[in-house]
Amino acid sequence: MATISAKASQMPASAIRKLVPLSDKAKSEGVKVYHLNIGAPDIQSPECALRSVQGELPHHISYSHSAGLMELRRGLCEKYYRRIGIDASPEELIVTVAGSEAVDLAVKITCDQGDEIIVMEPFYTNYNTFAFMSGVTLKAVPTDIRKGFAVPDPSEVEKLITPRTRAILISNPGNPTGTVYDKASMLALGDIVRRHDLFLISDEVYREFCYTEEGHFSAMNIPGIEQNVILVDSVSKRYNLCGARVGCILSHNKDVMAAALKYAQARLCPPVYGQMAAIGALDTPQEYFDAVREEYIRRRDTAVELLNRIPGVFSPLPMGAFYTIAQLPVDDAEKFARWMLETFRVDGQTTMVTPAASFYKTPSKGRNEVRVAYVLEVPCLRVAIDILRQGLAAYPGRTL
């Protein structure tokens, strides 16, 4: 029998999705599963986005330009980025197959095989996947759950720089921690990037969900490193259009964008219907964002309060995005998550969470932690976390 490649067999499984077969099996048996494992909110997409797709459709769905529909590229620059203080032209932006492709392109464009990228740990697990596919090594700067995963001192970043370091990759606000890099932190990273002539890849897909008084400060606004910044963005979270699969990569560096276009041409074009939805979403009123932000604050406060009431559980208060990491009194968080899906039921219901170990580069870290996505409305969130509480009390591998 023919065998697959060694690289394919070594490809890391998605920490977020690898337990899905267990949840599917539970559902097939009539179990209601509360999904706190994935960032797929239940919040309504903007009406203007839905109308854009539901309205009069073209008679023929053809390819768009590989860089994306010009109406969307121009609209993003003029209706969205200009409004939030980012100056960009359509030539500096390529529409991607969601933010995921944008990260993958940024890794490919900045690194050769064997090069290194610095990340803050824990980090979005798919960064590890994209690095693996390109033969790139991630070097992790640790952060501490007991300190709320605070942004590390710049010296901790700088000590990891080697001749093979090509970029620093951040998520701001952070997935899975909810950490927000304030202006001072961003300027400090910019200073490192400038002195060592590195790229700064800034994943800002959760920009609208920033709960600090200062608000969000984009890497695109760091002075003096305009040619070093690559912005990763997406409509998935901002407009609750996860299934549209539309994002973008943005940079003032012409060489970066020329390379990105070559990769984009190889995959022909982003989804046309998704782009149509994104064009409509650009007319979303500010009231929508304000209401969604307030709703996430309610959900965050509820989730963190309820988690910390559970004996042996600790969860810091995230300041952005819609995730928190919770430390559990268990021997192994993945075993616990599997047990919840396979065995534990409360009135025919269970709760699904994401084991956090795959969000870490350092071996053994995160083994007793889970990522909780507070993406359900408050009543459902209360039920889901109460089921989690009861599951922890009954789990055979409980350590407290």
Side-chain angles (χ1 to χ4, degrees):
M1 183 178 70
T3 59
I4 65 173
S5 70
K7 190 166 192 174
S9 64
Q10 295 164 10
M11 177 81 165
S14 168
I16 300 167
R17 293 178 179 265
K18 69 180 179 180
L19 300 185
V20 167
L22 299 183
S23 70
D24 288 345
K25 184 174 185 297
K27 291 175 188 176
S28 73
E29 297 168 351
V31 177
K32 178 176 177 57
V33 178
Y34 288 94
H35 285 278
L36 302 184
N37 63 301
I38 192 166
D42 61 1
I43 289 175
Q44 175 77 29
S45 304
E47 288 294 335
C48 52
L50 301 178
R51 285 196 302 270
S52 184
V53 179
Q54 294 167 347
E56 184 177 345
L57 298 176
H59 296 294
H60 174 61
I61 304 300
S62 188
Y63 298 116
S64 75
H65 191 286
S66 293
L69 293 167
M70 179 54 77
E71 184 180 357
L72 176 55
R73 293 161 61 202
R74 183 177 292 115
L76 282 167
C77 292
E78 296 178 358
K79 289 186 175 183
Y80 178 66
Y81 287 117
R82 183 175 297 170
R83 178 175 61 80
I84 62 171
I86 295 175
D87 184 29
S89 68
E91 294 71 32
E92 297 173 319
L93 183 152
I94 288 177
V95 180
T96 56
V97 184
S100 297
E101 186 188 37
V103 177
D104 188 32
L105 290 180
V107 172
K108 286 182 168 69
I109 291 166
T110 58
C111 295
D112 290 314
Q113 185 162 329
D115 283 343
E116 300 169 351
I117 293 178
I118 295 174
V119 293
M120 313 301 156
E121 181 182 63
F123 52 86
Y124 178 47
T125 181
N126 281 341
Y127 294 166
N128 195 48
T129 304
F130 300 138
F132 174 84
M133 291 192 295
S134 294
V136 172
T137 298
L138 296 184
K139 299 188 74 174
V141 181
T143 62
D144 188 346
I145 188 172
R146 292 288 166 172
K147 296 179 180 178
F149 298 111
V151 176
D153 188 272
S155 63
E156 297 300 309
V157 177
E158 198 154 20
K159 69 171 58 171
L160 293 184
I161 296 174
T162 75
R164 297 306 300 263
T165 305
R166 299 289 294 140
I168 299 171
L169 169 57
I170 64 168
S171 172
N172 182 32
N175 175 6
T177 62
T179 299
V180 172
Y181 292 73
D182 62 13
K183 182 177 180 179
S185 299
M186 294 298 288
L187 294 178
L189 280 178
D191 183 58
I192 294 173
V193 165
R194 185 185 307 107
R195 287 188 286 105
H196 295 273
D197 197 21
L198 304 175
F199 284 102
L200 176 58
I201 305 168
S202 188
D203 179 346
E204 301 182 7
V205 304
Y206 297 97
R207 180 186 297 110
E208 269 64 34
F209 315 121
C210 187
Y211 315 128
T212 61
E213 289 186 11
E214 181 180 297
H216 188 265
F217 185 84
S218 174
M220 296 295 292
N221 292 325
I222 300 174
I225 60 167
E226 290 81 4
Q227 296 299 307
N228 299 66
V229 174
I230 301 174
L231 179 68
V232 169
D233 215 340
S234 171
V235 305
S236 294
K237 314 302 182 181
R238 179 173 306 124
Y239 304 110
N240 292 290
L241 292 171
C242 296
R245 310 314 297 145
V246 169
C248 70
I249 183 171
L250 173 63
S251 180
H252 295 310
N253 187 311
K254 292 182 178 179
D255 291 338
V256 166
M257 297 314 298
L261 181 58
K262 288 189 284 186
Y263 282 110
Q265 289 168 341
R267 58 89 168 106
L268 304 185
C269 77
V272 172
Y273 280 128
Q275 292 185 76
M276 292 168 60
I279 289 170
L282 294 174
D283 292 326
T284 302
Q286 184 60 41
E287 292 79 10
Y288 175 88
F289 299 116
D290 294 341
V292 171
R293 180 178 180 274
E294 290 305 311
E295 174 62 16
Y296 278 129
I297 290 174
R298 281 192 293 272
R299 296 181 182 192
R300 177 200 65 172
D301 293 348
T302 299
V304 171
E305 179 186 356
L306 293 177
L307 286 167
N308 284 313
R309 284 184 189 175
I310 302 172
V313 173
F314 174 74
S315 176
L317 185 70
M319 299 309 295
F322 39 69
Y323 309 99
T324 188
I325 294 283
Q327 197 173 71
L328 307 182
V330 297
D331 56 352
D332 186 292
E334 182 168 333
K335 286 169 57 179
F336 170 70
R338 288 178 176 273
W339 178 82
M340 289 287 292
L341 293 171
E342 293 176 323
T343 304
F344 188 73
R345 309 286 184 259
V346 175
D347 298 327
Q349 304 174 106
T350 194
T351 295
M352 186 176 183
V353 292
T354 298
S358 294
F359 293 92
Y360 288 85
K361 187 70 176 176
T362 305
S364 79
K365 291 198 73 172
R367 189 176 177 185
N368 65 338
E369 297 173 2
V370 295
R371 187 190 72 168
V372 173
Y374 44 92
V375 293
L376 304 180
E377 58 184 353
V378 169
C380 291
L381 197 57
R382 288 184 178 278
V383 174
I385 295 177
D386 189 62
I387 292 170
L388 189 70
R389 176 189 64 80
Q390 295 182 63
L392 284 167
Y395 178 56
R398 183 179 175 87
T399 57
L400 184 67

mmCIF file with all atom_site columns, all heavy atoms in Angstrom, residues 31-46:
data_model
loop_
_atom_site.group_PDB
_atom_site.id
_atom_site.type_symbol
_atom_site.label_atom_id
_atom_site.label_alt_id
_atom_site.label_comp_id
_atom_site.label_asym_id
_atom_site.label_entity_id
_atom_site.label_seq_id
_atom_site.pdbx_PDB_ins_code
_atom_site.Cartn_x
_atom_site.Cartn_y
_atom_site.Cartn_z
_atom_site.occupancy
_atom_site.B_iso_or_equiv
_atom_site.pdbx_formal_charge
_atom_site.auth_seq_id
_atom_site.auth_comp_id
_atom_site.auth_asym_id
_atom_site.auth_atom_id
_atom_site.pdbx_PDB_model_num
ATOM 1   N N   . VAL A 1 31 ? -27.246 13.930 22.603 1.00 0.00 ? 31 VAL A N   1
ATOM 2   C CA  . VAL A 1 31 ? -26.692 14.793 23.644 1.00 0.00 ? 31 VAL A CA  1
ATOM 3   C C   . VAL A 1 31 ? -26.593 16.225 23.129 1.00 0.00 ? 31 VAL A C   1
ATOM 4   O O   . VAL A 1 31 ? -26.138 16.454 21.998 1.00 0.00 ? 31 VAL A O   1
ATOM 5   C CB  . VAL A 1 31 ? -25.294 14.288 24.084 1.00 0.00 ? 31 VAL A CB  1
ATOM 6   C CG1 . VAL A 1 31 ? -24.677 15.234 25.115 1.00 0.00 ? 31 VAL A CG1 1
ATOM 7   C CG2 . VAL A 1 31 ? -25.384 12.875 24.628 1.00 0.00 ? 31 VAL A CG2 1
ATOM 8   N N   . LYS A 1 32 ? -26.997 17.188 23.938 1.00 0.00 ? 32 LYS A N   1
ATOM 9   C CA  . LYS A 1 32 ? -26.783 18.596 23.598 1.00 0.00 ? 32 LYS A CA  1
ATOM 10  C C   . LYS A 1 32 ? -25.392 18.990 24.057 1.00 0.00 ? 32 LYS A C   1
ATOM 11  O O   . LYS A 1 32 ? -25.046 18.827 25.239 1.00 0.00 ? 32 LYS A O   1
ATOM 12  C CB  . LYS A 1 32 ? -27.826 19.491 24.256 1.00 0.00 ? 32 LYS A CB  1
ATOM 13  C CG  . LYS A 1 32 ? -27.608 20.977 23.965 1.00 0.00 ? 32 LYS A CG  1
ATOM 14  C CD  . LYS A 1 32 ? -28.701 21.834 24.551 1.00 0.00 ? 32 LYS A CD  1
ATOM 15  C CE  . LYS A 1 32 ? -28.434 23.324 24.308 1.00 0.00 ? 32 LYS A CE  1
ATOM 16  N NZ  . LYS A 1 32 ? -28.281 23.662 22.886 1.00 0.00 ? 32 LYS A NZ  1
ATOM 17  N N   . VAL A 1 33 ? -24.578 19.505 23.130 1.00 0.00 ? 33 VAL A N   1
ATOM 18  C CA  . VAL A 1 33 ? -23.210 19.905 23.437 1.00 0.00 ? 33 VAL A CA  1
ATOM 19  C C   . VAL A 1 33 ? -23.127 21.427 23.425 1.00 0.00 ? 33 VAL A C   1
ATOM 20  O O   . VAL A 1 33 ? -23.435 22.065 22.411 1.00 0.00 ? 33 VAL A O   1
ATOM 21  C CB  . VAL A 1 33 ? -22.207 19.310 22.423 1.00 0.00 ? 33 VAL A CB  1
ATOM 22  C CG1 . VAL A 1 33 ? -20.783 19.782 22.745 1.00 0.00 ? 33 VAL A CG1 1
ATOM 23  C CG2 . VAL A 1 33 ? -22.274 17.787 22.413 1.00 0.00 ? 33 VAL A CG2 1
ATOM 24  N N   . TYR A 1 34 ? -22.696 22.009 24.546 1.00 0.00 ? 34 TYR A N   1
ATOM 25  C CA  . TYR A 1 34 ? -22.439 23.451 24.606 1.00 0.00 ? 34 TYR A CA  1
ATOM 26  C C   . TYR A 1 34 ? -21.008 23.698 24.143 1.00 0.00 ? 34 TYR A C   1
ATOM 27  O O   . TYR A 1 34 ? -20.063 23.217 24.765 1.00 0.00 ? 34 TYR A O   1
ATOM 28  C CB  . TYR A 1 34 ? -22.646 23.980 26.030 1.00 0.00 ? 34 TYR A CB  1
ATOM 29  C CG  . TYR A 1 34 ? -24.090 24.019 26.448 1.00 0.00 ? 34 TYR A CG  1
ATOM 30  C CD1 . TYR A 1 34 ? -24.671 22.957 27.140 1.00 0.00 ? 34 TYR A CD1 1
ATOM 31  C CD2 . TYR A 1 34 ? -24.892 25.121 26.138 1.00 0.00 ? 34 TYR A CD2 1
ATOM 32  C CE1 . TYR A 1 34 ? -26.006 22.994 27.531 1.00 0.00 ? 34 TYR A CE1 1
ATOM 33  C CE2 . TYR A 1 34 ? -26.225 25.163 26.519 1.00 0.00 ? 34 TYR A CE2 1
ATOM 34  C CZ  . TYR A 1 34 ? -26.772 24.090 27.215 1.00 0.00 ? 34 TYR A CZ  1
ATOM 35  O OH  . TYR A 1 34 ? -28.091 24.135 27.580 1.00 0.00 ? 34 TYR A OH  1
ATOM 36  N N   . HIS A 1 35 ? -20.870 24.453 23.050 1.00 0.00 ? 35 HIS A N   1
ATOM 37  C CA  . HIS A 1 35 ? -19.555 24.647 22.460 1.00 0.00 ? 35 HIS A CA  1
ATOM 38  C C   . HIS A 1 35 ? -18.873 25.898 23.026 1.00 0.00 ? 35 HIS A C   1
ATOM 39  O O   . HIS A 1 35 ? -19.158 27.022 22.623 1.00 0.00 ? 35 HIS A O   1
ATOM 40  C CB  . HIS A 1 35 ? -19.674 24.754 20.937 1.00 0.00 ? 35 HIS A CB  1
ATOM 41  C CG  . HIS A 1 35 ? -19.933 23.445 20.270 1.00 0.00 ? 35 HIS A CG  1
ATOM 42  N ND1 . HIS A 1 35 ? -18.926 22.551 19.982 1.00 0.00 ? 35 HIS A ND1 1
ATOM 43  C CD2 . HIS A 1 35 ? -21.091 22.871 19.870 1.00 0.00 ? 35 HIS A CD2 1
ATOM 44  C CE1 . HIS A 1 35 ? -19.450 21.477 19.412 1.00 0.00 ? 35 HIS A CE1 1
ATOM 45  N NE2 . HIS A 1 35 ? -20.762 21.638 19.335 1.00 0.00 ? 35 HIS A NE2 1
ATOM 46  N N   . LEU A 1 36 ? -17.966 25.667 23.974 1.00 0.00 ? 36 LEU A N   1
ATOM 47  C CA  . LEU A 1 36 ? -17.071 26.724 24.453 1.00 0.00 ? 36 LEU A CA  1
ATOM 48  C C   . LEU A 1 36 ? -15.672 26.504 23.880 1.00 0.00 ? 36 LEU A C   1
ATOM 49  O O   . LEU A 1 36 ? -14.713 27.106 24.347 1.00 0.00 ? 36 LEU A O   1
ATOM 50  C CB  . LEU A 1 36 ? -17.010 26.711 25.984 1.00 0.00 ? 36 LEU A CB  1
ATOM 51  C CG  . LEU A 1 36 ? -18.335 26.872 26.724 1.00 0.00 ? 36 LEU A CG  1
ATOM 52  C CD1 . LEU A 1 36 ? -18.093 26.939 28.235 1.00 0.00 ? 36 LEU A CD1 1
ATOM 53  C CD2 . LEU A 1 36 ? -19.100 28.104 26.246 1.00 0.00 ? 36 LEU A CD2 1
ATOM 54  N N   . ASN A 1 37 ? -15.566 25.656 22.876 1.00 0.00 ? 37 ASN A N   1
ATOM 55  C CA  . ASN A 1 37 ? -14.274 25.245 22.330 1.00 0.00 ? 37 ASN A CA  1
ATOM 56  C C   . ASN A 1 37 ? -13.830 26.047 21.129 1.00 0.00 ? 37 ASN A C   1
ATOM 57  O O   . ASN A 1 37 ? -12.656 25.997 20.754 1.00 0.00 ? 37 ASN A O   1
ATOM 58  C CB  . ASN A 1 37 ? -14.329 23.769 21.919 1.00 0.00 ? 37 ASN A CB  1
ATOM 59  C CG  . ASN A 1 37 ? -15.326 23.515 20.803 1.00 0.00 ? 37 ASN A CG  1
ATOM 60  O OD1 . ASN A 1 37 ? -16.522 23.787 20.956 1.00 0.00 ? 37 ASN A OD1 1
ATOM 61  N ND2 . ASN A 1 37 ? -14.862 22.997 19.684 1.00 0.00 ? 37 ASN A ND2 1
ATOM 62  N N   . ILE A 1 38 ? -14.717 26.775 20.485 1.00 0.00 ? 38 ILE A N   1
ATOM 63  C CA  . ILE A 1 38 ? -14.360 27.396 19.208 1.00 0.00 ? 38 ILE A CA  1
ATOM 64  C C   . ILE A 1 38 ? -14.915 28.812 19.136 1.00 0.00 ? 38 ILE A C   1
ATOM 65  O O   . ILE A 1 38 ? -16.003 29.102 19.658 1.00 0.00 ? 38 ILE A O   1
ATOM 66  C CB  . ILE A 1 38 ? -14.890 26.534 18.031 1.00 0.00 ? 38 ILE A CB  1
ATOM 67  C CG1 . ILE A 1 38 ? -14.303 26.985 16.699 1.00 0.00 ? 38 ILE A CG1 1
ATOM 68  C CG2 . ILE A 1 38 ? -16.416 26.516 18.004 1.00 0.00 ? 38 ILE A CG2 1
ATOM 69  C CD1 . ILE A 1 38 ? -14.515 25.978 15.580 1.00 0.00 ? 38 ILE A CD1 1
ATOM 70  N N   . GLY A 1 39 ? -14.168 29.698 18.489 1.00 0.00 ? 39 GLY A N   1
ATOM 71  C CA  . GLY A 1 39 ? -14.565 31.088 18.377 1.00 0.00 ? 39 GLY A CA  1
ATOM 72  C C   . GLY A 1 39 ? -15.591 31.312 17.290 1.00 0.00 ? 39 GLY A C   1
ATOM 73  O O   . GLY A 1 39 ? -15.325 32.035 16.322 1.00 0.00 ? 39 GLY A O   1
ATOM 74  N N   . ALA A 1 40 ? -16.745 30.686 17.432 1.00 0.00 ? 40 ALA A N   1
ATOM 75  C CA  . ALA A 1 40 ? -17.840 30.836 16.471 1.00 0.00 ? 40 ALA A CA  1
ATOM 76  C C   . ALA A 1 40 ? -19.040 31.434 17.197 1.00 0.00 ? 40 ALA A C   1
ATOM 77  O O   . ALA A 1 40 ? -19.910 30.708 17.676 1.00 0.00 ? 40 ALA A O   1
ATOM 78  C CB  . ALA A 1 40 ? -18.193 29.487 15.851 1.00 0.00 ? 40 ALA A CB  1
ATOM 79  N N   . PRO A 1 41 ? -19.107 32.754 17.316 1.00 0.00 ? 41 PRO A N   1
ATOM 80  C CA  . PRO A 1 41 ? -20.145 33.400 18.122 1.00 0.00 ? 41 PRO A CA  1
ATOM 81  C C   . PRO A 1 41 ? -21.551 33.160 17.576 1.00 0.00 ? 41 PRO A C   1
ATOM 82  O O   . PRO A 1 41 ? -21.746 32.908 16.386 1.00 0.00 ? 41 PRO A O   1
ATOM 83  C CB  . PRO A 1 41 ? -19.768 34.882 18.035 1.00 0.00 ? 41 PRO A CB  1
ATOM 84  C CG  . PRO A 1 41 ? -18.330 34.910 17.625 1.00 0.00 ? 41 PRO A CG  1
ATOM 85  C CD  . PRO A 1 41 ? -18.142 33.717 16.760 1.00 0.00 ? 41 PRO A CD  1
ATOM 86  N N   . ASP A 1 42 ? -22.535 33.278 18.463 1.00 0.00 ? 42 ASP A N   1
ATOM 87  C CA  . ASP A 1 42 ? -23.935 33.134 18.074 1.00 0.00 ? 42 ASP A CA  1
ATOM 88  C C   . ASP A 1 42 ? -24.568 34.481 17.757 1.00 0.00 ? 42 ASP A C   1
ATOM 89  O O   . ASP A 1 42 ? -25.784 34.593 17.621 1.00 0.00 ? 42 ASP A O   1
ATOM 90  C CB  . ASP A 1 42 ? -24.724 32.428 19.190 1.00 0.00 ? 42 ASP A CB  1
ATOM 91  C CG  . ASP A 1 42 ? -24.708 33.204 20.508 1.00 0.00 ? 42 ASP A CG  1
ATOM 92  O OD1 . ASP A 1 42 ? -24.108 34.301 20.552 1.00 0.00 ? 42 ASP A OD1 1
ATOM 93  O OD2 . ASP A 1 42 ? -25.284 32.705 21.491 1.00 0.00 ? 42 ASP A OD2 1
ATOM 94  N N   . ILE A 1 43 ? -23.756 35.507 17.601 1.00 0.00 ? 43 ILE A N   1
ATOM 95  C CA  . ILE A 1 43 ? -24.257 36.869 17.387 1.00 0.00 ? 43 ILE A CA  1
ATOM 96  C C   . ILE A 1 43 ? -24.637 37.066 15.920 1.00 0.00 ? 43 ILE A C   1
ATOM 97  O O   . ILE A 1 43 ? -23.944 36.600 15.010 1.00 0.00 ? 43 ILE A O   1
ATOM 98  C CB  . ILE A 1 43 ? -23.205 37.896 17.836 1.00 0.00 ? 43 ILE A CB  1
ATOM 99  C CG1 . ILE A 1 43 ? -23.112 37.878 19.372 1.00 0.00 ? 43 ILE A CG1 1
ATOM 100 C CG2 . ILE A 1 43 ? -23.535 39.296 17.336 1.00 0.00 ? 43 ILE A CG2 1
ATOM 101 C CD1 . ILE A 1 43 ? -22.039 38.750 19.950 1.00 0.00 ? 43 ILE A CD1 1
ATOM 102 N N   . GLN A 1 44 ? -25.734 37.782 15.709 1.00 0.00 ? 44 GLN A N   1
ATOM 103 C CA  . GLN A 1 44 ? -26.263 38.035 14.373 1.00 0.00 ? 44 GLN A CA  1
ATOM 104 C C   . GLN A 1 44 ? -25.246 38.790 13.513 1.00 0.00 ? 44 GLN A C   1
ATOM 105 O O   . GLN A 1 44 ? -24.625 39.757 13.950 1.00 0.00 ? 44 GLN A O   1
ATOM 106 C CB  . GLN A 1 44 ? -27.539 38.874 14.490 1.00 0.00 ? 44 GLN A CB  1
ATOM 107 C CG  . GLN A 1 44 ? -28.151 39.334 13.186 1.00 0.00 ? 44 GLN A CG  1
ATOM 108 C CD  . GLN A 1 44 ? -28.915 38.238 12.468 1.00 0.00 ? 44 GLN A CD  1
ATOM 109 O OE1 . GLN A 1 44 ? -29.439 37.350 13.107 1.00 0.00 ? 44 GLN A OE1 1
ATOM 110 N NE2 . GLN A 1 44 ? -28.959 38.311 11.157 1.00 0.00 ? 44 GLN A NE2 1
ATOM 111 N N   . SER A 1 45 ? -25.080 38.347 12.254 1.00 0.00 ? 45 SER A N   1
ATOM 112 C CA  . SER A 1 45 ? -24.278 39.097 11.299 1.00 0.00 ? 45 SER A CA  1
ATOM 113 C C   . SER A 1 45 ? -25.008 40.387 10.935 1.00 0.00 ? 45 SER A C   1
ATOM 114 O O   . SER A 1 45 ? -26.243 40.450 11.013 1.00 0.00 ? 45 SER A O   1
ATOM 115 C CB  . SER A 1 45 ? -24.044 38.262 10.030 1.00 0.00 ? 45 SER A CB  1
ATOM 116 O OG  . SER A 1 45 ? -23.450 37.028 10.337 1.00 0.00 ? 45 SER A OG  1
ATOM 117 N N   . PRO A 1 46 ? -24.280 41.426 10.541 1.00 0.00 ? 46 PRO A N   1
ATOM 118 C CA  . PRO A 1 46 ? -24.954 42.682 10.186 1.00 0.00 ? 46 PRO A CA  1
ATOM 119 C C   . PRO A 1 46 ? -25.929 42.487 9.014  1.00 0.00 ? 46 PRO A C   1
ATOM 120 O O   . PRO A 1 46 ? -25.628 41.755 8.063  1.00 0.00 ? 46 PRO A O   1
ATOM 121 C CB  . PRO A 1 46 ? -23.791 43.597 9.777  1.00 0.00 ? 46 PRO A CB  1
ATOM 122 C CG  . PRO A 1 46 ? -22.582 43.003 10.405 1.00 0.00 ? 46 PRO A CG  1
ATOM 123 C CD  . PRO A 1 46 ? -22.816 41.532 10.439 1.00 0.00 ? 46 PRO A CD  1
#
